[in-house]
Amino acid sequence: MSELLLYNTYTRQKEIFESITPNHVGLYVCGPTVSGESHLGHARPYITFDVVNRYLQHLGYKVRYVRNITDAGHFEEEGREAEDKIAGKALLEKLEPMELVHKYTDLFHWGMRLFNCLPPSIEPTATGHVIEQISMIEDIMAKGYAYEVNGSVYFDVKKYASQYPYGTLSGRKIEDMLETTRELDGQDEKINKVDFALWKNAPPEHIMRWKSPWGEGFPGWHIECSAMSSKYLGDTFDIHGGGMDLQFPHHESEIAQSTIAHGHGPARYWMHNNMITINGKKMGKSYNNVIKLTELFSGNHPILEQAYHPMVVRFNILQTHYRSTLDFSNDALQGSEKALRRLWEAYEVLQKLTIPTNTEAKDEVLDQQVHSFCTECADFMNDDFNTAKVIASLFELAPTINSIRSGQIAANALSASTFTLLKSTFKTYLEDILGLQALQVEQSNKLDKVLSVLIDIRKDAKLRKDFATSDQIRNRLAESGVLLKDEKDGTVSYTIE
RNA sequence: GGUCGGGUGGCCGAGUGGCUAGGCAGAGCUCUGCAAAAGCUCGUACAGCGGUUCGAAUCCGCUCUCGACCUCCA
């Protein structure tokens, strides 16, 4: 089998993946800030890295997947007054900060569950690791790369850049940044505007505050990921992931902090997923075009023509390579919904088919085709997680499956081994790796029995050529969302919308 | 302004030098009491202009155009 190639943002090329510890992978993904409801944009990284996690496990790695919860609240560094997002929102909603954080964390987990994202191995919170963050800041100060001003601590980027490569990850030059940022404002505590906060002094009205060697305050944003990733994954771990928008300044700052604290950057491979856009514009609070997950699943948003099932969203995201932008539209989602339905039905048909006993394929050509569509799935995943191509291959197999079911293709056209491979490929890729699930909710036994009564009555009517009655049953059921299908073999199946 | 990445058929989207993904929508046919589903077949696209090459959506140059990052952001 081919080796796993992944695109490393740091080197800007695809590299062969080799884990630091054989058979183990340390994966860190920047998690959400739980100051508000999760939105469609959040779906992308967590689904992307869920597939990365699943695929690494499929390859036999034991993955320690760490994804943080930012519950300490970022501050607007450039704002006149330092404002804690979470504390501010808490005042608005008349909630304790902890109450608010809990509410949105639960909501986030709810969304992740619906998306069928496997939970991370560890989900550390920033507030639970203030001590670790403080000691890392102390370490950086002791090494001379941070300075204190009025109870706040800043990282000295200029000094760092003079001795270490800075800006590699995000493709930036410190000189350019120092030039473009000379909007000299004497108010700023920072020596250089490129400096970033490790610790912020808390103004009196600030609710979230912790004691530190520099007075009461709260940690800077970037330090939490550095402190927590090194705590749970070590000074150097395998993969650090997140959205492209975090490349700068967040990840660049993490590298700088870790380099001073540990002598090197935190991760060997940096992976960044691209953004979701709406009508070509990035979705974001500042654009006022955010679709929350609750709205997405309920259809309750002006942009949405209908509600979208979490699996449809997941499928839609996986139909696009993770490094491409993904433009949201109702048409695209509706297309994905139909596509997923068809693919999943083929999968269900396949599960019911019995594997033939012939060792030789009756149709060599078809057997070969099926075989290669199955095996190439691994190649596509190995090529920087090309889920779009995997899905295309599975679609290529759908007609064969459906034809075998309808008898247009004899079951023994395929050899027993190819048939087995076909079955395992669908199971492995569709369910285990892509993490997809049936759109339909499990039906209750009672409903099934009720429907079979109606189906039997309809069958009788059909035998009597009483098509008025049979059509009436079918139409009335359709009105209530139950679609009947007369199969070739005389049986009747139904799907519930 | 600086840096970077795009512009692919009606729509969504793969794809880095020849073998012209896939999905949705559309058209025709088969099957069917009718439907639905399914199967088969069809649309021959790569922003524009040059260049390199036997051959380019894919490489180079220019133009137009969209977007991302540079500030909280997935």
Side-chain angles (χ1 to χ4, degrees):
Chain A
M1 194 168 76
S2 56
E3 288 171 298
L4 173 61
L5 284 173
L6 55 83
Y7 183 86
N8 188 351
T9 314
Y10 196 81
T11 57
R12 280 158 214 285
Q13 58 188 16
K14 286 183 194 170
E15 296 175 359
I16 295 171
F17 177 74
E18 287 172 40
S19 64
I20 295 165
T21 309
N23 305 119
H24 290 258
V25 175
L27 171 65
Y28 187 92
V29 175
C30 290
T33 301
V34 286
S35 59
E37 272 193 58
S38 306
H39 54 76
L40 175 58
H42 291 109
R44 188 114 196 243
Y46 306 132
I47 289 172
T48 297
F49 290 103
D50 182 53
V51 171
V52 169
N53 176 29
R54 285 166 177 271
Y55 189 61
L56 289 168
Q57 288 189 33
H58 167 76
L59 292 180
Y61 290 105
K62 200 164 175 4
V63 182
R64 178 176 284 178
Y65 176 18
V66 179
R67 188 181 64 204
N68 66 297
I69 294 277
T70 300
D71 58 351
H74 299 169
F75 41 86
E76 314 286 349
E77 275 192 277
E78 301 303 320
R80 282 286 152 191
E81 59 269 308
E83 182 209 338
D84 186 314
K85 270 195 201 166
I86 289 172
K89 193 83 181 282
L91 280 174
L92 271 177
E93 298 199 4
K94 292 191 175 149
L95 295 172
E96 279 294 315
M98 205 61 198
E99 205 175 350
L100 179 107
V101 156
H102 193 237
K103 173 181 162 187
Y104 291 126
T105 301
D106 280 352
L107 216 42
F108 170 69
H109 286 151
W110 167 82
M112 290 302 108
R113 223 176 303 118
L114 289 178
F115 278 134
N116 197 26
C117 289
L118 298 174
S121 331
I122 304 175
E123 197 169 43
T125 60
T127 54
H129 296 77
V130 174
I131 290 168
E132 286 84 348
Q133 294 178 73
I134 289 175
S135 60
M136 191 164 179
I137 296 167
E138 286 179 313
D139 184 25
I140 293 169
M141 282 187 93
K143 285 170 175 161
Y145 286 86
Y147 54 91
E148 183 197 341
V149 184
N150 301 329
S152 293
V153 180
Y154 297 96
F155 188 91
D156 190 341
V157 173
K158 197 176 175 186
K159 177 173 179 183
Y160 173 82
S162 69
Q163 281 150 69
Y164 300 93
Y166 177 79
T168 309
L169 182 72
S170 54
R172 251 156 258 265
K173 292 197 185 90
I174 181 86
E175 303 83 50
D176 296 345
M177 298 180 60
L178 288 169
E179 276 173 33
T180 48
T181 48
R182 65 161 93 101
E183 314 153 16
L184 42 110
D185 50 337
Q187 305 303 100
D188 205 331
E189 300 172 336
K190 298 180 201 171
I191 295 175
N192 290 295
K193 229 184 164 187
V194 288
D195 296 346
F196 57 87
L198 294 168
W199 186 265
K200 281 294 260 187
N201 174 46
E205 68 276 12
H206 203 99
I207 307 169
M208 293 189 127
R209 52 206 300 136
W210 289 265
K211 278 186 184 151
S212 80
W214 317 285
E216 291 202 357
F218 53 95
W221 174 32
H222 315 304
I223 195 74
E224 68 173 83
C225 287
S226 297
M228 297 191 289
S229 64
S230 61
K231 173 161 182 171
Y232 297 113
L233 296 171
D235 291 353
T236 309
F237 52 92
D238 296 293
I239 303 171
H240 191 132
M244 241 177 194
D245 49 350
L246 298 182
Q247 239 170 285
F248 190 89
H250 187 52
H251 292 335
E252 200 67 66
S253 303
E254 278 188 54
I255 291 174
Q257 291 165 351
S258 296
T259 302
I260 295 307
H262 308 130
H264 47 72
R268 297 225 330 218
Y269 306 92
W270 288 85
M271 290 178 67
H272 293 94
N273 62 275
N274 215 317
M275 303 288 100
I276 288 182
T277 57
I278 293 191
N279 298 323
K281 285 257 190 285
K282 176 185 156 183
M283 169 162 32
K285 282 166 199 154
S286 30
Y287 296 95
N288 246 325
N289 59 355
V290 173
I291 300 175
K292 295 171 184 163
L293 294 186
T294 46
E295 296 166 335
L296 187 63
F297 300 158
S298 68
N300 182 27
H301 190 285
I303 296 172
L304 301 175
E305 286 171 9
Q306 61 167 82
Y308 295 101
H309 192 284
M311 276 308 118
V312 170
V313 178
R314 183 175 177 116
F315 186 71
N316 179 256
I317 286 174
L318 295 178
Q319 274 182 302
T320 308
H321 186 85
Y322 76 93
R323 282 191 288 114
S324 301
T325 52
L326 166 58
D327 195 39
F328 171 90
S329 72
N330 283 287
D331 285 348
L333 266 284
Q334 284 159 21
S336 290
E337 181 172 336
K338 291 196 175 174
L340 177 57
R341 278 228 156 79
R342 193 162 86 82
L343 191 58
W344 201 269
E345 254 184 63
Y347 175 44
E348 285 178 339
V349 166
L350 176 63
Q351 285 172 299
K352 287 176 197 151
L353 294 178
T354 30
I355 297 169
T357 50
N358 50 306
T359 48
E360 295 289 313
K362 280 270 156 41
D363 187 337
E364 282 290 346
V365 178
L366 183 71
D367 192 85
Q368 264 306 314
Q369 279 177 355
V370 168
H371 194 271
S372 80
F373 279 130
C374 287
T375 52
E376 69 187 11
C377 285
D379 298 329
F380 294 146
M381 283 306 288
N382 282 336
D383 185 14
D384 197 28
F385 307 95
N386 199 330
T387 53
K389 283 196 137 190
V390 171
I391 290 171
S393 294
L394 295 177
F395 266 111
E396 294 277 14
L397 293 163
T400 303
I401 294 168
N402 287 325
S403 297
I404 291 175
R405 195 268 290 264
S406 67
Q408 283 160 287
I409 292 176
N412 63 7
L414 304 179
S415 68
S417 65
T418 301
F419 210 105
T420 307
L421 175 67
L422 177 61
K423 280 199 172 198
S424 68
T425 299
F426 262 77
K427 160 80 171 77
T428 302
Y429 284 88
L430 220 44
E431 288 202 64
D432 300 346
I433 295 172
L434 298 180
L436 295 165
Q437 295 173 320
L439 283 174
Q440 253 172 267
V441 193
E442 286 296 312
Q443 274 119 49
S444 74
N445 260 334
K446 275 186 187 167
L447 179 62
D448 191 71
K449 279 180 183 156
V450 170
L451 284 171
S452 69
V453 171
L454 286 166
I455 287 168
D456 286 344
I457 293 172
R458 181 164 168 276
K459 265 189 198 160
D460 290 342
K462 277 178 70 179
L463 283 175
R464 292 195 312 269
K465 304 238 186 263
D466 178 5
F467 296 123
T469 303
S470 73
D471 287 353
Q472 193 191 6
I473 291 173
R474 188 174 64 198
N475 295 339
R476 295 277 307 267
L477 284 177
E479 280 167 24
S480 43
V482 180
L483 303 178
L484 297 187
K485 270 195 267 178
D486 295 325
E487 304 292 353
K488 284 255 170 64
D489 57 9
T491 60
V492 178
S493 67
Y494 65 87
T495 52
I496 299 177
E497 283 188 328

